[in-house]
Amino acid sequence: MDPYMVKPGQKVHLAAWNPDDTGDFAGKPEARKALKKLRKELVELQERLYAEDKHKVLIVLQAMDTGGKDGVIKSVMRGVNPQGCQVASFKVPTPEELAHDFLWRVHSRVPGRRFITIFNRSHYEDVLVVRVHDIVPEDVWRQRYEQINNFEKLLADTGTLILKFYLHISKDEQKRRLEARRDTPEKRWKFAVGDLKERAYWEDYMQAYEEALTRCSTPWAPWYVVPANKKWYRDLVVARTLVEKLKALDMRYPEAPEGIEEVQVPD
Ligand code: ATP
Ligand code: MG
């Protein structure tokens, strides 16, 4: 019953998904309070995940530049034990990565049992930037939707909970954020002139996202379109989804070995 989940088979038209949506929340203070509560739950759930040593959790974050991938990692994962959590960022592939199939570098970073791994960008770049800029021929990237679905099925079948979030901002909001980066000394290091070039391809990116979201939201690895113009609502939606799905795993602390109460701890 999640309004932001792309139902398998549902055709996504991003123009119909409101990036300004804030659900039932009146404003930031209320949402931040709710987020704080969710974070507490998340910390507890992650302890269980680690203790139970059974599940793996993969979170995929995709967005246009300034969409808030870094912000989500910072504000949702705050407080989670770093020992059980990893972030993998995927940049322009190296020559070694390019010498392999496109899933090679990604597969090597997926979570093992008891870990949460966050992908900051992901294998979806290979049907997004690669498609927009014709980096490989169309018949090559076209095959990738099915290859991605099969790859994610393998991960899911072997114990991975997969949650994929597209942080949906509007083109206007990106302009405001780029200007803020330009004008704020503490943000300026993030301002990349190259991002302006990508911005010119906005419509092509939206088309590429629409097809990726439509073709790769599966029962075993759903996509969520997160309204992301308001940072406080974006964080809340991601945290809420994560907590809900982790709860559904019904994780248990391992049974204590029999007779442990009688074991004497030597002086
Ligand atoms: P971000 O923008 O995610 O915060 P960043 O600014 O630190 O990260 P960038 O180098 O700007 O680092 O971002 C990574 C760049 O690598 C993006 O432009 C992305 O499209 C590109 N990229 C990622 N994967 C691929 C790929 N498979 N093929 C081509 N380009 C890719
Ligand atoms: Mg960048």
Side-chain angles (χ1 to χ4, degrees):
M1 293 281 41
D2 194 316
Y4 305 121
M5 193 183 88
V6 177
K7 284 148 209 75
Q10 177 183 1
K11 198 162 171 17
V12 176
H13 295 289
L14 282 172
W17 296 69
N18 179 10
D20 282 309
D21 184 13
T22 57
D24 296 332
F25 282 81
K28 185 170 171 173
E30 189 194 335
R32 284 298 186 210
K33 227 168 100 188
L35 177 64
K36 221 168 153 188
K37 236 178 99 195
L38 285 165
R39 253 201 237 116
K40 253 197 185 145
E41 289 188 80
L42 187 59
V43 168
E44 210 268 326
L45 285 160
Q46 191 257 343
E47 290 271 346
R48 271 175 204 260
L49 175 78
Y50 199 84
E52 195 187 38
D53 193 14
K54 178 176 168 190
H55 300 281
K56 311 151 181 176
V57 179
L58 174 62
I59 300 167
V60 172
L61 295 179
Q62 284 288 158
M64 296 297 285
D65 288 308
T66 76
K69 302 187 301 303
D70 295 349
V72 164
I73 295 170
K74 208 158 64 174
S75 77
V76 176
M77 303 311 288
R78 179 189 302 175
V80 169
N81 186 346
Q83 192 141 245
C85 194
Q86 296 153 343
V87 178
S89 299
F90 297 97
K91 310 277 182 182
V92 176
T94 63
E96 191 190 17
E97 289 169 347
L98 282 175
H100 293 81
D101 70 86
F102 77 105
L103 292 170
W104 178 73
R105 67 172 181 165
V106 176
H107 203 165
S108 70
R109 308 293 298 276
V110 300
R113 271 199 326 266
R114 68 168 36 163
F115 282 93
I116 299 177
T117 298
I118 301 168
F119 279 3
N120 183 350
R121 302 186 189 271
S122 65
H123 42 302
Y124 284 92
E125 293 290 328
D126 291 279
V127 289
L128 295 165
V129 63
V130 167
R131 166 179 170 157
V132 168
H133 291 292
D134 296 314
I135 296 173
V136 301
E138 175 162 358
D139 64 316
V140 174
W141 60 254
R142 279 243 159 254
Q143 293 179 56
R144 289 182 174 169
Y145 301 105
E146 195 187 340
Q147 290 163 344
I148 287 173
N149 287 343
N150 290 335
F151 167 63
E152 292 176 352
K153 182 80 166 55
L154 167 72
L155 300 181
D157 286 347
T158 48
T160 312
L161 169 69
I162 307 172
L163 299 170
K164 303 180 294 194
F165 298 100
Y166 165 60
L167 310 177
H168 184 35
I169 56 165
S170 62
K171 198 177 177 189
D172 287 349
E173 179 62 21
Q174 189 193 53
K175 183 164 196 267
R176 280 191 287 276
R177 291 185 187 185
L178 287 169
E179 286 168 348
R181 280 185 183 183
R182 182 196 59 196
D183 300 337
T184 317
E186 305 79 51
K187 287 184 178 172
R188 200 164 288 152
W189 64 275
K190 272 198 161 197
F191 188 86
V193 177
D195 291 353
L196 302 181
K197 209 183 90 224
E198 287 318 295
R199 177 172 163 78
Y201 292 93
W202 187 274
E203 292 314 318
D204 294 341
Y205 271 106
M206 289 305 108
Q207 252 182 31
Y209 267 110
E210 283 176 345
E211 187 152 7
L213 296 166
T214 298
R215 300 190 56 164
C216 299
S217 197
T218 55
W220 56 88
W223 268 111
Y224 295 84
V225 178
V226 179
N229 273 5
K230 296 275 182 290
K231 294 173 183 175
W232 47 266
Y233 193 62
R234 168 199 81 196
D235 295 344
L236 185 98
V237 169
V238 173
R240 197 173 56 192
T241 309
L242 190 53
V243 164
E244 188 185 302
K245 299 300 163 190
L246 284 174
K247 268 189 183 159
L249 293 179
D250 194 24
M251 297 177 288
R252 305 290 162 104
Y253 285 105
E255 293 280 344
E258 212 167 319
I260 193 159
E261 301 87 349
E262 270 91 69
V263 174
Q264 298 291 321
V265 178
D267 292 332

